[in-house]
Amino acid sequence: MAGVDAFDAVYAAQYAPLVRLAYVTVGSMPAAEDVVQDVFIEWYRRIDQVEAPAAYLRKAVVSRCSSWVRRRILERRHAGTFDQPPVVPPDAGTVAVRAAMAQLAPRYRMALFLRYYLDLSVAEVAETLDCPLGTAKSLLHRGLAHLQAHLEDR
Amino acid sequence: MISEERVAELIRTAVDAVPVEPPPPATFRARATARRRDRRRAGRIWPAALAAAAVVATVMVATVTLPGPSTVPGEESTTYRLPRELAGSSSATTPVSQDPPGRAIALFNQGGHHVVLATDGVTYRRLDLADQLGAALLSPDGLTVIVSDPARTTPHVEVVDLRTGQAQRFSFDPPLAVRPLAWSPNGRRVAFATQVSPTGNSAGPAGVSVLDLDSRRFVQVAEPRPGTAGGLVQAAFIAAGSAVLASAGAEDGCTLRVYQVDPPKPAEPVSVDGPVERCREVVTLAVHPLDTATLVAVGERYGNILRLNFRGDWLAQTRTTPPSIPLSSGDRLLGWSGRDRLYATLGSSVEEFTLEGGYDRVLRFPAVSDGPDLVTAFQLATDLMPETTVSDLSSGGWPWSLRRSAAVAFLLLVVTAAVLVIRRRRTA
């Protein structure tokens, strides 16, 4: 039962951010939900072996999203545009940020999300993206510069 | 420029606007448990599947790589057998080069293919090399076949060993169109009709040459005789193979000449028998096995009439010359059976007949006048006939190579069917 409780607790805390991470990366809500749900199922199968569930889940989501993007299945289907999430119509600032993010490559989007939404350190971003620290810094620097230029223009 | 903090705030706002509705966590736990069960089930299936695959692979590898039966068909019989009736062409399922039949009792042409019949009386094989080259002659002991091309000039003939299926090449110079005529009684020499320029149907004029299989010498023993076109040269060995008795094809008088082999004197026959009045062509001949005199059974054509006559000093052998026997077109002598009987193809059968004219049927050809089962150019390994029994035999089963191929095909079929069934169950 301890495993069930732990699962429920982590699930409650991490599901939404991870779906958003996946959505920012792949640009499709159904695909993002599929990725995150599969990751949670895989984690539950080996829940006893995973010491840091949040980091494990983040890395797994990034890895699966990268695979999806690499296979270009999602890119062909969604062609660099974000599905418009239903229910709440976005304000002008949100639309501008989404438009600016959509112009970035998925890896830049992931780096910016991890750094500025999840408040991870640059080192944690590098670990999650499974890349050197310098690469993570470069991704963040260029991604931020792009957003700053894009949002300033508006 | 917009600050980093402002960008972060905008990002958080934009991402928070993405609505996410988490499904109940129990759903994921249930799916994770179900997937674990599937994997366990798959884990149980794997050992059985691997074991089955190992068995199939072992059987297939063994079937393909293991040698066939330890004895070849023609060597399985301690006594030789002939069927009362030859089987149809469908019985010759594989070629000699692939499945050697061993010692053969007969060689014939059936439906355009050369076929050998093994001494078990049931194994038929296509003599593929003869199908390529055109002419073949079975040795008296049934172990070897001479194969040559009478339709074009070549610098060699092939000798096929029926126990191995392998062909050995014997070369000569200059190239000639050659048709095998006769084996010497000891199986050491072969006489050929030879032409510098082939005449298509290999009818004369043609010379006679002898190949010595031991020394590999190929020497001409008789020159072509002019004016003998239209008929096939016939020849047989006499005097234990040291001389050749030959006719010159469609030569008026049906003269038979004896030529020396050691050393050859192609222009000087040692002796001459003939001419015979009104005789136009020698169509077949068989030399009596008696060593002390040359006695010959000769198929002779007089206009459209064919008769089997006997030549030589029969009176000196304390018997009168046997009476003439009528023949039909296509009838050929196959050899002597002892001193008083002859084997010959008469119509659609092989007969053993006495010098007095009595007949005993040895075997029948398939009862057809045309088509793939029609048998022509029948030859008999006459040395084996004294130990041969004739009985009702049906053609043998599939040869080893076909059985092997069929086994592999069957196993592949089973594996494919199993894979299809498994995949269908999974998708269901």
Side-chain angles (χ1 to χ4, degrees), chain A residues 8 11 37 116-117 148 152, chain B residues 1-2 4 16 23 28-29:
Chain A
D8 288 355
Y11 177 79
Q37 289 173 12
Y116 297 114
Y117 186 78
Q148 284 174 326
E152 196 173 39
Chain B
M1 177 185 288
I2 186 169
E4 184 178 356
D16 277 337
F28 297 109
R29 290 200 302 272

Side-chain angles (χ1 to χ4, degrees), chain A residues 4 7-8 11 15-16 19-20 23-24 29 37-38 41-42 44-45 85-86 91 93-94 97-98 112-113 116-117 119 144 147-148 151-152, chain B residues 1-4 7-33 35-36 39:
Chain A
V4 173
F7 177 86
D8 288 355
Y11 177 79
Y15 181 80
V19 168
R20 291 186 176 113
Y23 171 71
V24 165
M29 185 53 78
Q37 289 173 12
D38 275 351
I41 288 169
E42 284 301 310
Y44 186 69
R45 284 187 54 240
D91 59 24
T94 299
V97 171
R98 283 183 184 169
L112 291 170
F113 182 93
Y116 297 114
Y117 186 78
D119 285 329
L144 180 64
L147 288 185
Q148 284 174 326
L151 295 174
E152 196 173 39
Chain B
M1 177 185 288
I2 186 169
S3 67
E4 184 178 356
V7 170
E9 187 185 335
L10 286 171
I11 288 174
R12 274 194 294 273
T13 305
V15 173
D16 277 337
V18 175
V20 177
E21 292 181 17
T27 310
F28 297 109
R29 290 200 302 272
R31 281 172 62 186
T33 309
R35 202 177 285 184
R36 204 177 297 163
R39 293 200 178 193

